[in-house]
Amino acid sequence: MTRLPDPAALAAHYSRFAVAERLLLTGHSHQAWPDVAREGQVQAYDDAALAVDTKWERAFAKAEAVRSGVRALLGEADADVALGASTHELLVRLLSALDLQARPRLVTTDGEFHSARRQLDRLGEAGVEVVTVPAAPVTDLADRLAAQLDDRTAAVVVSSVMYETAHLVPGLDALARRAERHGVELVVDAYHHLGVAPLDLAETGLTGAWVLGGGYKYLQLGEGNCFLRVPGHAEGLRPLVTGWYAESGDLQPDPTDTSADTPAVAYARGAAAFAGASYDPTSHYRAAAVLDFFADQGLTPPVLRGVSLHQRGLLAAAVDDLDLPEDVLTRDRETPAAGFAGFLSLRSPYAARLSRGLAERGVHADSRGEHLRLGPAPYLRDDQLLAAVAALGEAALALH
């Protein structure tokens, strides 16, 4: 049995966020940063002050530490990883590398986060055929997506965890096989997966997938720490949206080749072809410090999964004990606990009002449409979670 960390002892490392005194059920959105994150930001300033424009060698070492952290989370020691400030930035570069003239069709779900949803909607307005499959029920979502793939499809974009409901999407391995047969790129948004549930690409059959994610939520890395895991078969893709960092290193084609049919714009190989340009390296300093902290505290994917299952289970049981009418507040009680990721999604026509009622009672949570989301985190004690649910009961009674 996995030994879970003591949340009270862990909370001592988050003194500036005062997690021991606050009811921060924002674990699915913005987790608190450990104190070492601030030390990382200060180090970024000090390196700039010391080295000025030659700071980049130090900054690139921090970027490589972030890539190493991503590789560990994906269970893939040699994963080829591009970094970016946002998943949207990386998704746009990826989409711009696809031949949407030869394959003018994209497949996705109506449960994708806004960074993908809005961009795909806009591409649809511009003439790309975008097929949107209902995300519910999640049990056969992968099969329904697979049924939409054909030789005109450039890519299928799907989350491994639905951001409104916390449902883990089963069957992505079968979707990956169908995508490979049709030459379709499978793009998996794992933002709500990493840091709360293990995701080993080999074990889940996703070695051929593009994987998007970031550190703003469960990983506690803060803004500016997003990544794109690039599959091996992507060699030779040339993003139309490109930054000058993508011409560093071993270039393809060889820029000394002046034959008439050689493209003038050369790209680095692998994930480096999806690089951007000059950026604020402070985010990577902060992330490197937090990744080291997680390692020191033994916050591995299996441990974090154990914490999540315990905390989400405690919240769910406490909500059930409120015995609220289902037309006020209910939840999915059919899916087993293992079918959810890191937060508890409660369905209510009053979700926004309940979120405001919680805020008035000192509980930080949020809502998305009819879904009220309660996101625990490893530094929260059980009594804090129970206090938050008690506040939810008060907010529900105050609705009428």
Side-chain angles (χ1 to χ4, degrees):
M1 183 176 179
T2 302
R3 182 182 178 86
L4 303 184
D6 176 8
L10 199 58
H13 297 283
Y14 296 78
S15 62
R16 290 183 175 271
F17 274 77
V19 298
E21 293 80 43
R22 303 166 73 190
L23 299 179
L24 297 177
L25 267 71
T26 56
H28 57 290
S29 179
H30 186 317
Q31 289 205 7
W33 301 346
D35 297 337
V36 297
R38 184 173 184 273
E39 297 169 14
Q41 296 199 167
V42 172
Q43 184 186 357
Y45 183 97
D46 288 347
D47 277 1
L50 176 68
V52 198
D53 201 38
T54 59
K55 69 185 180 187
W56 288 104
E57 182 177 352
R58 299 166 186 245
F60 292 157
K62 298 298 183 183
E64 186 54 33
V66 176
R67 292 188 186 93
S68 294
V70 171
R71 294 179 185 117
L73 288 164
L74 296 176
E76 189 177 53
D78 60 349
D80 204 7
V81 178
L83 301 178
S86 69
T87 54
H88 174 257
E89 167 190 337
L90 294 164
L91 177 63
V92 166
R93 288 185 211 154
L94 165 56
L95 292 174
S96 78
L98 305 181
D99 188 351
L100 293 177
Q101 291 185 323
R103 288 176 170 257
R105 194 167 184 268
L106 299 171
V107 176
T108 189
T109 84
D110 65 1
E112 300 310 304
F113 190 68
H114 312 305
S115 53
R117 183 226 7 118
R118 177 179 170 82
Q119 189 61 68
L120 294 175
D121 284 351
R122 184 64 183 91
L123 286 171
E125 284 188 344
V128 176
E129 181 185 356
V130 179
V131 178
T132 303
V133 174
V138 74
T139 49
D140 66 349
L141 173 58
D143 290 339
R144 289 183 286 114
L145 287 168
Q148 292 292 334
L149 304 187
D150 59 25
D151 295 340
R152 297 178 62 254
T153 307
V156 52
V157 180
V158 60
S159 295
S160 59
V161 175
M162 289 294 140
Y163 84 98
E164 290 181 318
T165 65
H167 282 117
L168 284 154
V169 179
L172 290 180
D173 54 342
L175 176 60
R177 291 191 294 272
R178 176 69 177 252
E180 184 178 8
R181 285 198 298 273
H182 284 281
V184 176
E185 302 297 343
L186 171 58
V187 185
V188 177
D189 181 347
Y191 217 132
H192 274 283
H193 203 136
L194 299 181
V196 72
L199 178 62
D200 185 293
L201 296 187
E203 290 182 1
T204 53
L206 295 177
T207 54
W210 304 76
V211 181
L212 284 163
Y216 186 74
K217 305 179 192 296
Y218 308 93
L219 298 176
Q220 303 177 12
L221 308 183
E223 300 87 348
N225 286 297
C226 291
F227 70 86
L228 174 66
R229 180 268 185 185
V230 177
H233 70 262
E235 194 70 40
L237 287 183
R238 305 171 71 247
L240 179 63
V241 178
T242 185
W244 68 276
Y245 278 19
E247 62 186 20
S248 302
D250 184 15
L251 299 181
Q252 55 172 339
D254 183 346
T256 63
D257 183 353
T258 57
S259 56
D261 59 350
T262 299
V265 179
Y267 287 77
R269 296 187 179 276
F274 294 84
S278 299
Y279 63 99
D280 180 358
T282 305
S283 57
H284 292 162
Y285 278 81
R286 182 177 62 242
V290 174
L291 289 167
D292 285 345
F293 170 76
F294 268 47
D296 290 344
Q297 297 297 319
L299 298 177
T300 62
V303 169
L304 292 169
R305 182 56 169 164
V307 171
S308 173
L309 289 171
H310 166 74
Q311 292 187 323
R312 190 187 174 283
L314 183 70
L315 285 170
V319 168
D320 288 349
D321 287 344
L322 293 176
D323 198 24
L324 295 170
E326 290 204 354
D327 60 351
V328 172
L329 188 76
T330 189
R331 69 180 184 88
D332 177 355
R333 295 181 178 87
E334 295 182 1
T335 302
F340 294 100
F343 62 92
L344 179 64
S345 181
L346 303 170
R347 197 166 63 252
S348 172
Y350 312 105
R353 289 176 59 187
L354 288 171
S355 180
R356 291 194 296 271
L358 284 172
E360 292 166 359
R361 291 164 176 81
V363 180
H364 297 255
D366 67 15
S367 64
R368 293 290 185 271
E370 66 174 2
H371 301 281
L372 177 68
R373 304 190 303 174
L374 306 181
Y379 43 73
L380 293 178
R381 305 182 309 274
D382 287 0
D383 64 284
Q384 290 177 289
L385 301 180
L386 295 175
V389 175
L392 174 59
E394 294 175 4
L397 290 175
L399 286 174
H400 301 292

